[in-house]
Amino acid sequence: MQQEVIIVGGGMVGLSLALMLAKSNIAVKLLEAIQYPNYDDANLAPYHSSFDARNSALSRRSVQIYQELGLWDALQEHATPILEVQITEQGSFGKARLLAEQEKVESFGQVIENAWLGRVLLTEVRKQPLIELIDGVQVTSLKQDTDFAYIEAVRGQEQLQLAAKLLIAADGRDSFCRKALGIGASEHDYDQVAIVTTVQTSKPHAHVGFERFSHLGPLALLPLPGEYRRSVVWPVPKGTEHEWMGDENDQHFLNALQQAYGDRAGKFEKTGRRFSFPLSQVLAEKQAVGRVVLMGNAAHTIHPVAGQGFNLCMRDAYVLLRYLTEQAAQSADLGDAAMLRDYEQSRLKDQQRVIKFCDSVVRGFSNQNPILKFMRNTGLVAFDTIPGIKPLVANYAMGLKA
Ligand SMILES: Cc1cc2nc3c(=O)[nH]c(=O)nc-3n(C[C@H](O)[C@H](O)[C@H](O)COP(=O)(O)OP(=O)(O)OC[C@H]3O[C@@H](n4cnc5c(N)ncnc54)[C@H](O)[C@@H]3O)c2cc1C
């Protein structure tokens, strides 16, 4: 009999992994707390906690994975390539520039609207005969013994009881499953809130992505489909977010962006509604326990400073897929504890490198001490001029070197 896998959490990671498994002939039950929208209407961006108003910078590796899944043609309808990256600090002379052409790559990655990514993933999941999608259901209990993982869940008045050889917990930063198994997590609150929106500028974006270390926090401005549309992710100190929210603060927000960027992007002409996301780092102490493996934000939630979080999750998911297809080919237990621990070990190096990098960029650039500022600038100049550094960094950022 074919073994079935349960995935708890149908965010961007749970949906992507369900598709990877189903397309490799592994049957999945996918449980999601939120009742998904119907996409019969023309509404592109219904709210969902995972695919909301944000945009994601997908690395080249993530794009490759979606190409393998046969989804890229649909995804790229609302994606745009990054051909150049500029890193600067407000009030400083240093500047680092990475050009796709120089690095001999077609692009560094693609920026996609999460709402579109979610819509394409969900539409595909609904077509897959090997995926049983159960939405609007809250998992309330998780236990396991040597043979199975068992969950209980509620959907309205209905109680569900399910068992599987393997349970994948992709239930987000505050993962119920992680807590139910008693897996601890180290948490660091950055005391920052990311302000996220879409803006229109007078200069075309020309596919340039900016990372600017502003006085308030590291500000990312990324190209979006449409020549003049750009995505903004601006982490600001917690408690100051109310200054930027609400229609009445549109002009105030545009002025602040203008001040932080100067005229690099031309005039900041229009802004969409702003959304805010509290930022913290949450790292699970273990990612594989018995027949349960943690994935996505449930395993590691990191600061969005370099747009690496989801890309890292996609690489995890892809490696787990390789372990599981090998087990399936031998009709071996998909929830084998030793195999899951091997998977976990195999991912630690890539995970730790990304986690450390993002954390040290946030901490390193938030200190306004003039000596540190000078060192950062010399670092940016060195990065821009010393041969050999750029290809290395570019390969890491594109997810091509783990
Ligand atoms: C501002 C911001 C910008 C970002 N930009 C980028 C970027 O450019 N590039 C990049 O690579 N990454 C980026 N990230 C990171 C990326 O958004 C996350 O890595 C990604 O959303 C993680 O998805 P997930 O599916 O693991 O978790 P989630 O999106 O949190 O999904 C978890 C799902 O589980 C469900 N769930 C929870 N509990 C239960 C339960 N008990 N029962 C059933 N279902 C449950 C939830 O409803 C939810 O749908 C950014 C993050 C932020 C905050």
Side-chain angles (χ1 to χ4, degrees):
M1 200 184 90
Q2 192 177 34
Q3 299 177 65
E4 198 179 50
V5 172
I6 291 179
I7 300 180
V8 179
M12 298 200 306
V13 173
L15 287 171
S16 300
L17 183 53
L19 286 170
M20 289 182 204
L21 293 170
K23 290 190 178 216
S24 298
N25 221 16
I26 296 175
V28 178
K29 261 198 178 70
L30 177 59
L31 283 83
E32 164 56 42
I34 284 169
Q35 182 89 49
Y36 287 121
N38 263 323
Y39 285 119
D40 306 334
D41 52 33
N43 186 3
L44 175 64
Y47 182 77
H48 176 275
S49 65
S50 191
F51 20 100
D52 42 36
R54 283 174 290 176
N55 301 288
S56 290
L58 296 182
S59 68
R60 274 173 62 79
R61 184 72 192 107
S62 298
V63 171
Q64 281 171 356
I65 295 174
Y66 284 127
Q67 280 167 341
E68 275 181 42
L69 290 174
L71 295 178
W72 186 246
D73 283 350
L75 289 174
Q76 72 175 349
E77 278 180 41
H78 288 271
T80 205
I82 305 174
L83 303 181
E84 180 178 337
V85 177
Q86 289 189 19
I87 308 165
T88 53
E89 186 175 6
Q90 192 176 2
S92 298
F93 56 86
K95 173 177 174 177
R97 237 179 130 202
L98 280 166
L99 292 162
E101 205 184 354
Q102 247 170 36
E103 303 311 321
K104 298 187 179 50
V105 290
E106 177 202 324
S107 74
F108 289 119
Q110 300 264 347
V111 187
I112 191 162
E113 299 176 36
N114 284 17
W116 181 248
L117 177 57
R119 181 181 178 133
V120 171
L121 294 176
L122 187 54
T123 306
E124 188 64 21
V125 158
R126 283 176 168 151
K127 284 191 211 153
Q128 289 297 321
L130 282 182
I131 301 178
E132 185 185 346
L133 179 61
I134 310 175
D135 61 350
V137 66
Q138 187 85 28
V139 172
T140 51
S141 154
L142 165 60
K143 293 189 180 119
Q144 58 177 328
D145 60 23
T146 46
D147 297 321
F148 286 99
Y150 307 88
I151 57 167
E152 288 174 9
V154 257
R155 184 165 58 175
Q157 303 298 318
E158 199 187 347
Q159 296 272 351
L160 302 176
Q161 291 182 334
L162 301 166
K165 284 288 186 190
L166 170 63
L167 187 131
I168 299 173
D171 53 346
R173 174 172 71 177
D174 301 321
S175 172
F176 166 81
C177 294
R178 188 180 69 220
K179 290 173 191 161
L181 288 177
I183 303 175
S186 67
E187 299 197 20
H188 173 73
D189 188 339
Y190 286 106
D191 274 327
Q192 286 179 337
V193 171
I195 307 292
V196 172
T197 193
T198 300
V199 293
Q200 184 182 304
T201 55
S202 65
K203 281 191 191 167
H205 56 60
H207 302 282
V208 179
F210 290 101
E211 184 76 50
R212 182 139 174 94
F213 292 93
S214 76
H215 299 325
L216 283 177
L219 169 53
L221 194 62
L222 298 174
L224 282 177
E227 250 183 299
Y228 300 91
R229 289 174 71 236
R230 305 183 195 230
S231 145
V232 175
V233 179
W234 196 354
V236 299
K238 198 187 262 176
T240 65
E241 61 270 27
H242 61 275
E243 263 191 59
W244 314 108
M245 312 298 280
D247 298 348
E248 67 284 10
N249 286 318
D250 282 6
Q251 196 51 50
H252 176 50
F253 180 69
L254 289 167
N255 292 345
L257 281 175
Q258 197 74 61
Q259 209 183 350
Y261 268 101
D263 69 352
R264 281 172 189 79
K267 187 166 185 284
F268 286 86
E269 292 177 331
K270 276 192 197 158
T271 174
R273 192 174 152 204
R274 269 85 62 210
F275 296 86
S276 67
F277 297 84
L279 299 179
S280 58
Q281 184 192 66
V282 182
L283 306 175
E285 280 160 11
K286 283 185 195 157
Q287 294 171 45
V289 173
R291 303 187 158 275
V292 181
V293 62
L294 306 184
M295 293 298 289
N297 273 7
H300 40 67
T301 302
I302 61 177
H303 195 286
V305 68
Q308 293 288 316
F310 179 60
N311 292 310
L312 179 62
C313 300
M314 285 291 281
R315 299 203 289 280
D316 290 346
Y318 194 80
V319 174
L320 180 67
L321 172 73
R322 282 211 317 257
Y323 276 87
L324 296 181
T325 46
E326 222 166 272
Q327 291 288 108
Q330 295 164 11
S331 303
D333 185 352
L334 292 182
D336 181 71
M339 178 272 296
L340 294 177
R341 276 198 307 275
D342 280 355
Y343 152 77
E344 180 185 17
Q345 282 302 317
S346 74
R347 293 302 301 144
L348 290 181
K349 190 171 156 213
D350 187 20
Q351 291 174 356
Q352 281 164 6
R353 182 180 52 73
V354 172
I355 291 163
K356 259 196 196 144
F357 173 74
C358 295
D359 189 54
S360 47
V361 169
V362 180
R363 291 176 198 250
F365 274 90
S366 53
N367 195 321
Q368 291 302 318
N369 176 309
I371 298 170
L372 286 178
K373 235 178 140 164
F374 176 76
M375 284 168 63
R376 288 198 296 260
N377 268 284
T378 345
L380 285 179
V381 173
F383 175 82
D384 209 43
T385 48
I386 295 173
I389 297 185
K390 284 187 189 177
L392 192 71
V393 172
N395 270 331
Y396 277 127
M398 289 185 288
L400 299 178
K401 205 163 177 8

